[in-house]
Amino acid sequence: MLQNTGKLAGQTLFITGASRGIGKAIALKAAKDGANVVIAAKTAQAHPKLPGTIYTAAEESIDILVNNASAINLTGTLETPMKKVDLMLGVNLRGTYLTSKLCIPHLLKSKNPHILNLSPPLNLNPIWFKNHTAYTMAKYGMSMCVLGMAEEFRGSIAVNALWPKTAIQTAAMEMLGGAEVGKQCRNVDIMSDAAYAILGKPRSYTGNFIIDEEILKTEGIKDFDIYAVAPGNALLPDFFLDEAEALVQNMGDQVVIPVAKGDSRSAATSGPIAETFNIIKGVLNPDIVKSTGGVYKFNLSGEHAGVWFIDMKNGGGSAGSGEPPVKADVVMTMDSADFTKMFAGKLKPTMAFMSGKLMIKGDMTLAIKMEKMMSMMKSKL
């Protein structure tokens, strides 16, 4: 852990979205250093799924601005309501720009002026756009503020971005990936330590897109297990980074996995997979078929290997073992144990995909729609 040295003592930080998670951790780290912390957050009362409320503080002149507030919705263009698009652009892009604009006059008077945006490097590989264009545009908007303002105020204000190398255990991450995803995450302390390292640098340190682990290595941190939620477990790489990019690119290829030999229709008549598909058959109806419009093929390996399908495109829908009656729009390849967890609501497709437990070939928009089916099934499994 990066030790406090008191270098932020007496300075005033304005942090957005700091009632929980990373923003709160940065606020507490700075407060421990003797800084005055002003927090802006939307939550005035505790939310049952998102604990934490607004902290209040006396108005101070501002030395450091941390733009942490963010909204996320990982859906494709046709599945993202404009209300969600407006929310993400409003919070991520407009909110960051507006808060910076209003704080800059104060920052120009500071002896240690910093703007720190919690946003990623500008990785323009299409893979980071195709499945959630609206979110990527909104998040990259924060990064573009860094790119522009760092040059505009070079020599006067340090403007930088900070992004985690791995997934961080937060309420938002649990909502995306379920409770189990925490075992593949680091805790928020790595981000607060990284932010602390950045905010102690001179104003000449500007225009950087910083990864938490990389800057902490320069500060002498060698043991990163101290930040792991479950030391020893494989860590989930975060979005927009080359490591994660390579993982997703590999998963985009068709992967051949051995399946049970012989007639899979006759062989797969019992067990957890067959039971799951019996439930799926009971859930299918014309409304689901109409709203989904996709044919899914599942190549399952492991203890209950086999080929299965769900047709949510034709008639009233159908499901069973073997090849689908028509060409599949989406082919999902995974271990049979993970398949059971996924349909029981214990493993979300998005996180299974990012962690390498799920290979997807075909229409990613339809793959995301599977979550609707799973949410309907969860109470029956």
Side-chain angles (χ1 to χ4, degrees):
M1 303 286 284
L2 196 63
Q3 299 300 311
N4 282 69
T5 62
K7 60 187 177 184
L8 299 183
Q11 297 183 43
T12 299
L13 284 76
F14 187 91
I15 308 177
T16 67
S19 60
R20 62 183 69 88
I22 293 170
K24 180 179 178 180
I26 294 173
L28 293 176
K29 180 83 173 179
K32 184 178 179 181
D33 222 39
N36 303 308
V37 180
V38 180
I39 294 176
K42 70 174 184 178
T43 307
Q45 295 181 344
H47 187 283
K49 293 184 179 179
L50 300 173
T53 59
I54 293 175
Y55 292 78
T56 59
E59 183 178 355
E60 302 280 352
S61 61
I62 298 167
D63 299 293
I64 296 169
L65 167 63
V66 179
N67 285 307
N68 171 70
S70 185
I72 182 171
N73 198 71
L74 298 177
T75 51
T77 301
L78 297 179
E79 288 68 43
T80 310
M82 285 309 300
K83 183 178 181 180
K84 294 287 187 180
V85 176
D86 292 341
L87 175 65
M88 288 188 285
L89 291 173
V91 174
N92 300 1
L93 172 53
R94 188 178 188 278
T96 295
Y97 185 90
L98 177 60
T99 307
S100 300
K101 178 180 174 68
L102 295 177
C103 288
I104 284 171
H106 299 283
L107 294 171
L108 289 171
K109 302 173 185 177
S110 171
K111 294 181 180 179
N112 182 41
H114 280 266
I115 296 177
L116 180 62
N117 293 353
L118 276 293
S119 63
L122 290 166
N123 187 342
L124 296 182
N125 190 308
I127 198 167
W128 298 121
F129 290 82
K130 69 174 186 177
N131 298 327
H132 38 72
T133 299
Y135 172 67
T136 299
M137 289 193 304
K139 203 65 187 176
Y140 279 13
M142 297 177 70
S143 300
M144 291 171 74
C145 285
V146 171
L147 196 65
M149 292 178 188
E151 287 302 312
E152 183 177 0
F153 298 100
R154 184 173 292 275
S156 299
I157 303 173
V159 185
N160 296 289
L162 173 62
W163 193 247
K165 182 176 181 179
T166 73
I168 303 296
Q169 186 185 40
T170 61
M173 180 57 67
E174 289 185 5
M175 290 177 71
L176 288 173
E180 290 298 311
V181 76
K183 295 178 181 178
Q184 294 179 272
C185 296
R186 285 173 171 162
N187 60 48
V188 294
D189 291 338
I190 190 170
M191 289 294 281
S192 63
D193 281 1
Y196 183 75
I198 295 167
L199 299 178
K201 293 187 178 298
R203 70 186 72 191
S204 58
Y205 185 79
T206 190
N208 301 292
F209 292 89
I210 303 149
I211 304 303
D212 56 357
E213 182 177 307
E214 293 176 5
I215 191 168
L216 289 177
K217 285 180 179 178
T218 68
E219 295 289 326
I221 301 295
K222 297 180 180 180
D223 179 14
F224 287 88
D225 281 345
I226 58 175
Y227 298 114
V229 173
N233 280 16
L235 294 170
L236 188 64
D238 210 337
F239 288 102
F240 309 118
L241 301 180
D242 290 339
E243 293 91 339
E245 177 185 318
L247 175 64
V248 176
Q249 289 281 20
N250 290 336
M251 289 192 293
D253 298 330
Q254 177 65 47
V255 179
V256 179
I257 291 183
V259 296
K261 295 182 178 180
D263 185 352
S264 60
R265 288 183 182 271
S266 59
T269 57
S270 61
I273 305 301
E275 292 173 7
T276 299
F277 274 86
N278 285 333
I279 294 174
I280 292 173
K281 291 177 184 178
V283 172
L284 288 174
N285 60 58
D287 289 336
I288 291 179
V289 172
K290 183 178 179 180
S291 64
T292 306
V295 177
Y296 302 81
K297 177 182 175 181
F298 300 88
N299 291 330
L300 303 183
S301 61
E303 184 178 357
H304 302 283
V307 178
W308 297 78
F309 75 91
I310 304 175
D311 181 355
M312 291 192 285
K313 189 174 185 178
N314 303 290
S318 61
S321 62
E323 295 288 333
V326 296
K327 183 180 179 181
D329 299 298
V330 180
V331 179
M332 296 185 170
T333 304
M334 64 193 309
D335 187 273
S336 55
D338 290 327
F339 174 88
T340 303
K341 290 179 182 178
M342 193 169 75
F343 274 86
K346 297 178 181 179
L347 177 65
K348 291 198 174 185
T350 305
M351 303 314 300
F353 178 66
M354 286 299 299
S355 64
K357 294 181 178 180
L358 169 62
M359 313 294 179
I360 298 176
K361 184 176 180 63
D363 191 329
M364 281 296 298
T365 300
L366 289 174
I368 293 172
K369 282 189 175 182
M370 284 298 298
E371 293 199 27
K372 293 182 180 179
M373 164 68 81
M374 295 173 198
S375 64
M376 297 181 66
M377 292 176 51
K378 187 175 180 181
S379 62
K380 299 186 179 184
L381 287 174

